Amino acid sequence: MEIMTDQGFRKTVKYLRAFIIISLIGMICVLILFLGILAYAKILGAPPLAVPQSTLFFAEDGTLIGESHSGQKRYWVKLKDISPDLVNATVSIEDKNFYEHHGFDFKRIAGAVIADIQAFAKVQGASTITQQYARNLFLEHDKTWKRKLTEAFYSIRLEMSYSKQDILEGYLNTIYYGNGAYGVEAASQYYFGKKSSDLTLAEASMLAGIPKGPGTYSPLASMEKAKSRQAIILQTMVKNGYISKDTAKTAAKEPLTLVGVHTTQKVKVAPYFQDAVKNALKNQLHLDDRTIALGGLKIYTTLNLKQQEAAESQVNKYVASSSEIQVGLVAMDPKNGYVRAMVGGRDYDKSPFNRAVQAIRQPGSTIKPLLYYAALEHGFTPSSTMRSEFTTFHFDDGQADYTPHNFNNKYADGEVTLAQALAVSDNIFAVKTHLFLGEETLIETAKKFGLSTKMAKVPSLSLGTSGVRVIEMAGAYSLLANGGKRVNPTLITRVEDYNGNVIFEKENVSKIVLNPAKAFVMTQMLTGIFDAKLNGYAKVTGSTIMKDLTRPYAGKSGSTETDSWMIGYSPQLVTAVWTGYDIGKPIDLTAEKTYAKNIWANFMEEALQGKPVKAFKPPKEGVVGVYVNPENGKLATKDCPVRRYTYFVAGTEPTEYCTDHLKNSDESPAKKRDHKKVPWYKKIMPWGN
């Protein structure tokens, strides 16, 4: 018996040793595995924290005008900008030991494991805030052991790479609060209509209870259950030392005002402009589509809400609802190129095609200011004359004859000045100038003015037969309005990433590309389309809208069979308007031919309402102003029925006086000045001189 007992003892010791050895080996293996996991996590480094976030678009005054998201409204905010009550309420109810553990609360895990074993299913959670954040970032929300193990690994990586503040900030910005609201900022705005930084304790404790079950604990789903959950959270906050019992009681009784509407739900201002902004982000800043749509960017644009509203209002006012005419409009500040308003069509929902930036249409006579600027560079002046009459141009190189026509076939059948030809839009003068300068000249000048479309080397180019874009024509006229400085049309002033880092900021750099004196002379000539003094054999082209204008403007209208344009400016604003049919159908109705001018004139007046009336200021040097007779461009005398003050590039002003209206046409003004009045007595006694 004793021998058996001794043998049994030795056997027991043997088994015990084996168990200890195996246990030690197992522990060593587990330790090695754990260290290996830590090493692997360290090698992988910090996991990316990027999550889909709403990209927001702002007008120039900071007003939110639009939002891009995938159904998940999420606006990232810094931890310091979140109500401390909401932070404390969340930590208290979700993970009271958050600041002490390293990603795992082992006591809670043990309790959850026991509960799961007893129920033979995954019934109780013990996830920490770190684990929940890992799940929100990288995983699905299914309750499986595989997902839990993967979640644990990501939790290790998060804790190794980021501070508790970073993790808590990320969690609060990614957790789902129901009704499409992801993160505390979207939830705060949806439920209470305020920023998360402004939440009261009552609101914060209510909000902190929703993530447990948005369909159950949302106050919009059940106020009773939401209040019950709020009471539990307030009690935990008392227990964990965040607030006093009296404070909790006061918060529980506080009445709450619910909103239940996303503040950006119906925000869709200037949809064509916003599309253009997205294209600029992609093509100019080289951001990919996902980053633009879901990168949590803050896009600060140049849009002026008042002027945008005015543009849309005038389009709706003047274009008949029954008409199929489309509209493209761009208004921009000539000093810096900032686009203040944009209309790309009459109904974005029916047609998102942006006619302001995408369509290429014939500009008609609005190309003439570019031609005549080139003429000024080649020695022309506002007083340069050519004969306007029915003309057929013949060419020696086998090119077909070309016979341009004036509007209504009206011709001066005599000499007209450049200033007058521009005011009445004489086509004969334009073609003659174009051919005189050489057909390449206008093509090169158009490039200088910022036009990128291909120009055909033909006589009719001077009448605007090669297509252009509305936005580029607005940019071209800006060079004249600002004295010759190249300013590219600009839609975006600043872009911030979801962390508030500035990734783009517009630098206002301008380059002188036109001669300031010639640019001003051109501008002063363009005021002539609103000046009846230049009315000769035809009406000035702005005569139909002159009554609507209350301040100085320069501009040019243009029309082809299928296109109608009006482009003009004040010192503060340049606006280009195009109207026409998408399919290139001829504009036959008289009323439809007036749309562009009426929209332009009334938009400019409304857009500039309340702003100071400014005249076009000549440069300090390089120009000379003199009175001329607009009929012939010569220096006006007191006998001329019409005298117009006209600017010239210094040294090119006329020196010959008009003699058409003198009482004695044999005497020049100079001779008249030298001719002294002879007393009557000397007429009969000449020897007395």
Side-chain angles (χ1 to χ4, degrees):
M1 190 70 179
E2 292 180 1
I3 295 174
M4 291 294 295
T5 301
D6 188 51
Q7 287 178 343
F9 176 74
R10 287 197 295 271
K11 187 179 291 186
T12 300
V13 171
K14 180 180 179 182
Y15 287 144
L16 184 59
R17 286 176 179 173
F19 175 76
I20 293 173
I21 292 171
I22 292 172
S23 297
L24 288 173
I25 292 173
M27 291 175 63
I28 292 171
C29 289
V30 170
L31 180 61
I32 292 173
L33 177 62
F34 181 68
L35 292 175
I37 291 173
L38 292 179
Y40 182 54
K42 190 68 175 178
I43 291 171
L44 290 178
L49 301 184
V51 294
Q53 298 176 44
S54 300
T55 287
L56 303 178
F57 298 85
F58 300 92
E60 64 163 345
D61 63 355
T63 301
L64 183 66
I65 61 172
E67 172 182 14
S68 177
H69 60 83
S70 60
Q72 298 184 9
K73 292 180 180 290
R74 180 184 285 117
Y75 321 118
W76 199 280
V77 287
K78 296 288 187 181
L79 188 63
K80 64 181 179 62
D81 296 324
I82 300 173
S83 164
D85 287 330
L86 180 55
V87 174
N88 295 335
T90 301
V91 171
S92 188
I93 193 65
E94 294 291 341
D95 186 2
K96 65 178 182 179
N97 297 317
F98 171 72
Y99 295 106
E100 283 73 45
H101 64 64
H102 297 287
F104 307 96
D105 191 331
F106 293 104
K107 184 177 179 180
R108 289 179 65 191
I109 292 173
V113 170
I114 293 172
D116 292 347
I117 291 174
Q118 290 174 342
F120 294 101
K122 188 76 179 66
V123 295
Q124 183 172 320
S127 296
T128 62
I129 283 177
T130 306
Q131 290 172 278
Q132 292 183 60
Y133 184 32
R135 185 192 317 149
N136 292 339
L137 284 174
F138 312 113
L139 305 166
E140 299 297 329
H141 286 243
D142 54 313
K143 294 185 177 182
T144 64
W145 287 107
K146 179 181 178 181
R147 194 268 295 162
K148 293 294 291 183
L149 291 172
T150 308
E151 176 186 295
F153 180 66
Y154 276 116
S155 298
I156 292 172
R157 293 180 64 192
L158 286 172
E159 288 280 346
M160 290 178 67
S161 305
Y162 298 100
S163 69
K164 287 291 186 179
Q165 286 70 29
D166 290 336
I167 294 171
L168 186 56
E169 178 182 304
Y171 171 78
L172 289 168
N173 279 289
T174 56
I175 196 69
Y176 183 51
Y177 288 88
N179 294 288
Y182 288 77
V184 294
E185 188 67 16
S188 179
Q189 292 183 12
Y190 177 77
Y191 288 103
F192 301 111
K194 59 175 64 176
K195 294 180 179 180
S196 59
S197 59
D198 299 330
L199 291 172
T200 65
L201 173 60
E203 293 166 339
S205 56
M206 177 71 73
L207 206 59
I210 297 175
K212 180 178 176 63
T216 302
Y217 298 110
S218 164
L220 299 175
S222 172
M223 179 57 77
E224 182 181 353
K225 292 180 180 179
K227 291 292 290 184
S228 175
R229 179 73 174 160
Q230 180 196 42
I232 293 173
I233 292 173
L234 289 170
Q235 290 170 14
T236 62
M237 293 182 73
V238 172
K239 184 178 179 180
N240 294 321
Y242 289 113
I243 58 175
S244 67
K245 287 184 179 180
D246 291 340
T247 302
K249 289 179 181 179
T250 302
K253 295 178 182 178
E254 182 181 316
L256 300 176
T257 302
L258 299 175
V259 175
V261 175
H262 288 291
T263 56
T264 57
Q265 185 174 359
K266 296 182 179 179
V267 175
K268 192 61 177 176
V269 179
Y272 290 103
F273 177 85
Q274 290 194 48
D275 273 1
V277 169
K278 292 172 186 175
N279 286 330
L281 290 169
K282 185 175 181 179
N283 299 322
Q284 297 174 21
L285 303 188
H286 308 294
L287 299 177
D288 60 80
D289 290 332
R290 179 174 174 79
T291 300
I292 295 169
L294 304 172
L297 305 177
K298 289 183 175 63
I299 315 297
Y300 296 90
T301 75
T302 60
L303 188 74
N304 181 291
L305 289 174
K306 175 191 171 185
Q307 294 180 4
Q308 179 65 32
E309 184 179 349
E312 294 173 359
S313 172
Q314 296 303 331
V315 169
N316 292 332
K317 178 180 178 181
Y318 283 101
V319 181
S321 58
S322 59
S323 175
E324 295 180 0
I325 287 278
Q326 284 293 349
V327 180
L329 178 152
V330 172
M332 57 187 285
D333 186 333
K335 296 189 297 295
N336 49 30
Y338 287 3
V339 174
R340 298 307 190 187
M342 178 183 291
V343 175
R346 293 175 58 198
D347 191 327
Y348 180 83
D349 292 331
K350 291 182 179 178
S351 174
F353 179 70
N354 194 336
R355 295 150 188 90
V357 298
Q358 293 176 286
I360 298 177
R361 304 299 296 238
Q362 293 183 350
S365 292
T366 60
I367 201 71
K368 289 177 181 175
L370 280 63
L371 169 69
Y372 292 145
Y373 176 83
L376 293 178
E377 287 192 319
H378 286 77
F380 281 58
T381 79
S383 292
S384 296
T385 59
M386 286 188 184
R387 187 170 180 81
S388 173
E389 60 187 353
F390 180 86
T391 305
T392 296
F393 293 89
H394 305 282
F395 304 94
D396 296 333
D397 58 1
Q399 188 176 346
D401 292 350
Y402 178 54
T403 306
H405 298 276
N406 277 351
F407 180 70
N408 286 339
N409 288 311
K410 287 186 177 181
Y411 306 92
D413 290 325
E415 299 289 320
V416 296
T417 67
L418 171 55
Q420 193 177 36
L422 183 61
V424 301
S425 204
D426 189 287
N427 288 338
I428 307 304
F429 197 109
V431 175
K432 285 183 175 180
T433 302
H434 178 50
L435 296 176
F436 176 83
L437 297 176
E439 292 168 328
E440 281 288 346
T441 301
L442 180 53
I443 295 174
E444 293 304 315
T445 302
K447 292 178 182 177
K448 182 188 294 185
F449 274 81
L451 303 187
S452 64
T453 48
K454 187 176 181 180
M455 299 282 174
K457 187 179 175 181
V458 293
S460 63
L461 178 61
S462 58
L463 307 185
T465 54
S466 288
V468 296
R469 294 182 176 88
V470 176
I471 193 168
E472 290 188 349
M473 289 299 286
Y477 275 59
S478 289
L479 271 71
L480 298 174
N482 66 30
K485 293 180 290 186
R486 166 72 56 78
V487 287
N488 295 320
T490 299
L491 306 171
I492 304 167
T493 57
R494 191 170 80 257
V495 178
E496 296 178 1
D497 66 14
Y498 72 94
N499 276 322
N501 300 314
V502 177
I503 61 176
F504 168 79
E505 189 151 22
K506 171 67 177 176
E507 294 183 9
N508 291 323
V509 178
S510 59
K511 178 183 178 182
I512 295 290
V513 295
L514 304 183
N515 179 281
K518 294 181 176 68
F520 178 77
V521 169
M522 193 68 242
T523 286
Q524 207 260 350
M525 280 198 289
L526 285 171
T527 65
I529 78 163
F530 307 115
D531 187 352
K533 291 179 180 179
L534 288 170
N535 188 8
Y537 58 96
K539 288 185 177 181
V540 292
T541 55
S543 60
T544 58
I545 54 175
M546 284 165 53
K547 65 182 185 302
D548 298 323
L549 306 179
T550 62
R551 60 179 69 215
Y553 294 106
K556 186 73 188 77
S557 60
S559 62
T560 68
E561 187 181 26
T562 58
D563 303 275
S564 180
W565 291 75
M566 181 64 207
I567 311 176
Y569 52 94
S570 71
Q572 302 110 308
L573 191 67
V574 175
T575 301
V577 180
W578 165 87
T579 60
Y581 293 96
D582 283 336
I583 58 174
K585 185 173 72 172
I587 304 174
D588 294 326
L589 297 178
T590 301
E592 292 181 339
K593 294 178 180 179
T594 67
Y595 287 161
K597 286 183 181 179
N598 285 329
I599 291 170
W600 178 87
N602 289 277
F603 165 74
M604 291 294 286
E605 287 291 302
E606 186 175 349
L608 294 171
Q609 189 174 14
K611 296 184 181 296
V613 176
K614 291 187 177 182
F616 296 104
K617 188 176 180 180
K620 293 181 179 179
E621 55 184 25
V623 296
V624 173
V626 295
Y627 282 100
V628 300
N629 179 352
E631 290 292 332
N632 54 31
K634 296 178 181 179
L635 292 173
T637 69
K638 65 179 182 179
D639 296 312
C640 290
V642 178
R643 303 164 73 242
R644 189 174 195 268
Y645 197 72
T646 304
Y647 282 94
F648 296 80
V649 175
T652 69
E653 65 273 16
T655 56
E656 183 181 355
Y657 280 87
C658 172
T659 59
D660 294 351
H661 309 97
L662 296 178
K663 293 177 182 178
N664 183 355
S665 60
D666 292 333
E667 289 185 330
S668 70
K671 288 182 178 179
K672 289 188 72 175
R673 284 199 307 270
D674 294 337
H675 184 75
K676 298 179 181 180
K677 187 175 181 179
V678 180
W680 64 270
Y681 61 88
K682 288 192 176 182
K683 292 180 181 179
I684 59 175
M685 294 181 292
W687 57 87
N689 289 347

